[in-house]
Amino acid sequence: MKIKDITSFLESIAPSAYQESYDNSGLITGNPDLEVSKVLITLDCIEDVVDEAIAEGCNLIIAHHPIVFKGLKKLNGKNYVERTVIKAIKNDIAIYAIHTNLDNVHVGVNKKICDRLGLIRTKILAPKSDVISKLVAFCPKENTQSVLEAIHKTGAGSIGNYSHCSFVVNGQGSFKPTDQANPHIGKADELEHVDEDRIEVQLPTHMENQVLSALFKSHPYEQVAYYIHRVNNHNQTVGSGMIGELENAMKPEDFLEYVKTKMDLKVIRHTAAISRKIRKIAVCGGSGSFLLSHAKRAKADAFITADFKYHEFFDAEKNLMILDIGHFESEVFTKELLSGFLTENFANIAPVLSRVDTNPVKYFN
């Protein structure tokens, strides 16, 4: 088992193309061809976590937050970021971060929060646009199904909970091969008319090269007629935050106690209780104040996230309750999420969950 086997698998769940522009997810240190001895999973990768990896015999650390966000101009150990990177490199430990790309998929960080809270009918709160493309290709009718099979194997044609989605319409194609061509059908310098199908499938934009490769390999023509264009549809399985519902509505004070228990919290910063019961819940792991307007539009009764500033609490305007549960606290269960992905798909991996408390925020009771 090599590092790239694990990272490729994780990126099949949370493609790196879905990380935000400011992010730095991916393999931060280490050789992707290195054999994996043991995996340590953490929320943050700091010096103490690297020490833990050394003690546990782990040569791969999978972290949610990247230790390197900005470019490093020097590596002389003057701060915790440089010291962490130096220690990892010295000890042949790879560090891999899976951050906002894991935030932005429907099986990621926010789904884990929803599951802990027992929310049902969950969906992405703010779906992304400009991440979907449409492929249109023209194919002899007798080859349509084999071409579609090859395209679908790449994952193209998946829409929400449905796979193998396509649209096919029949028509007549025409072409005249030149004397340099090697046509599958027809002869040089003769106009040919062929019973063809127009095939249309939707695909994630970042998969265009894979899908085109499958199209070219499966298509009988020497020169495939096709085009791809971007569509502005929202991708309902990719985006920020999630929203769902409790099985049973709760009084605000009971809901606060419920969240405190389910998320294992010491304290919750929150706005005043609203006058109705709480049922519809929006969530966002980490800093989610940018999603408040989306939570309001979705008519959420409560919005659970972290890092709200003082004046931002006023923006609730009694339309909903804001619960700021802390950045670390909202994402710490990501360790369990990642461990589950690996153990379910790699029989020979038993990930170690870091026991280091990496929360830089402390509470005095």
Side-chain angles (χ1 to χ4, degrees):
M1 181 71 62
K2 295 182 178 180
I3 287 172
K4 65 183 179 184
D5 298 322
I6 295 175
T7 60
S8 294
F9 164 72
L10 290 174
E11 286 172 14
S12 72
I13 296 170
S16 56
Y18 292 151
Q19 68 176 302
E20 299 298 333
S21 59
Y22 61 81
D23 199 9
N24 190 38
S25 293
L27 191 62
I28 292 172
T29 70
N31 183 347
D33 289 313
L34 191 69
E35 296 237 351
V36 177
S37 59
K38 210 170 177 183
V39 180
L40 179 69
I41 299 177
T42 183
L43 185 64
D44 307 284
C45 185
I46 57 177
E47 289 176 85
D48 288 348
V49 172
V50 177
D51 287 334
E52 183 181 27
I54 295 168
E56 292 282 351
C58 301
N59 67 344
L60 172 61
I61 297 173
I62 298 175
H64 183 45
H65 296 138
I67 181 60
V68 179
F69 255 112
K70 301 174 183 177
L72 293 176
K73 295 184 178 181
K74 296 178 182 178
L75 273 175
N76 54 33
K78 70 177 181 181
N79 58 46
Y80 81 97
V81 174
E82 293 178 9
R83 289 191 297 271
T84 300
V85 171
I86 290 169
K87 184 172 285 190
I89 293 172
K90 273 186 168 182
N91 290 277
D92 289 326
I93 294 174
I95 301 174
Y96 177 79
I98 181 167
H99 188 210
T100 53
N101 47 326
L102 189 61
D103 291 333
N104 283 333
V105 292
H106 72 292
V107 294
V109 175
N110 297 307
K111 183 60 164 62
K112 183 65 177 178
I113 297 171
C114 289
D115 289 346
R116 288 195 67 85
L117 294 172
L119 302 187
I120 57 176
R121 292 186 281 277
T122 57
K123 61 182 182 180
I124 296 289
L125 178 61
K128 283 187 177 295
S129 58
D130 298 322
V131 293
I132 299 174
S133 296
K134 184 173 78 169
L135 168 68
V136 176
F138 301 88
C139 178
K141 188 174 181 63
E142 62 269 22
N143 298 101
T144 296
Q145 287 309 309
S146 60
V147 170
L148 276 173
E149 281 179 29
I151 291 172
H152 289 321
K153 279 182 180 178
T154 68
S158 294
I159 303 175
N161 294 323
Y162 297 84
S163 65
H164 295 75
C165 301
S166 66
F167 182 79
V168 177
V169 63
N170 188 246
Q172 187 181 77
S174 62
F175 52 87
K176 181 190 283 189
T178 69
D179 57 4
Q180 302 298 312
N182 181 27
H184 176 72
I185 298 173
K187 297 179 181 178
D189 294 322
E190 292 185 11
L191 184 63
E192 189 70 37
H193 297 278
V194 182
D195 187 21
E196 289 186 336
D197 284 334
R198 173 188 168 115
I199 299 169
E200 298 185 18
V201 294
Q202 180 175 296
L203 62 139
T205 297
H206 71 273
M207 289 179 57
E208 286 179 4
N209 289 340
Q210 293 168 253
V211 176
L212 286 177
S213 177
L215 171 66
F216 299 152
K217 287 178 182 177
S218 61
H219 203 288
Y221 285 176
E222 180 183 31
Q223 185 69 50
V224 181
Y226 76 95
Y227 61 88
I228 284 183
H229 63 88
R230 303 287 173 88
V231 294
N232 200 37
N233 300 40
H234 286 114
N235 189 330
Q236 299 299 323
T237 62
V238 178
S240 303
M242 291 198 86
I243 189 163
E245 297 178 10
L246 294 167
E247 287 274 8
N248 300 295
M250 297 182 184
K251 294 179 181 178
E253 56 271 23
D254 294 334
F255 176 68
L256 287 168
E257 193 60 46
Y258 177 81
V259 173
K260 189 176 179 182
T261 300
K262 291 293 183 180
M263 299 300 292
D264 193 21
L265 304 173
K266 296 178 181 178
V267 65
I268 300 176
R269 298 167 68 224
H270 63 90
T271 53
I274 55 175
S275 57
R276 63 184 184 276
K277 286 188 173 182
I278 307 290
R279 181 158 202 166
K280 199 170 188 181
I281 317 298
V283 307
C284 179
S287 303
S289 61
F290 70 101
L291 289 173
L292 180 59
S293 61
H294 292 272
K296 285 182 175 180
R297 281 197 296 273
K299 300 190 183 305
D301 300 311
F303 179 30
I304 300 172
T305 186
D307 300 343
F308 258 82
K309 296 179 181 178
Y310 175 83
H311 288 97
E312 291 174 331
F313 281 95
F314 287 109
D315 294 332
E317 296 188 295
K318 299 182 180 179
N319 295 130
L320 79 175
M321 286 183 70
I322 295 171
L323 280 67
D324 185 327
I325 65 173
H327 197 122
F328 175 90
E329 290 81 1
S330 70
E331 295 185 325
V332 66
F333 300 105
T334 302
K335 293 191 292 184
E336 295 176 3
L337 176 71
L338 291 167
S339 178
F341 287 151
L342 295 183
T343 53
E344 288 167 16
N345 291 275
F346 295 95
N348 57 338
I349 290 181
V352 177
L353 297 187
S354 175
R355 294 183 295 274
V356 176
D357 180 4
T358 62
N359 191 355
V361 180
K362 306 302 177 187
Y363 302 95
F364 180 75
N365 294 320

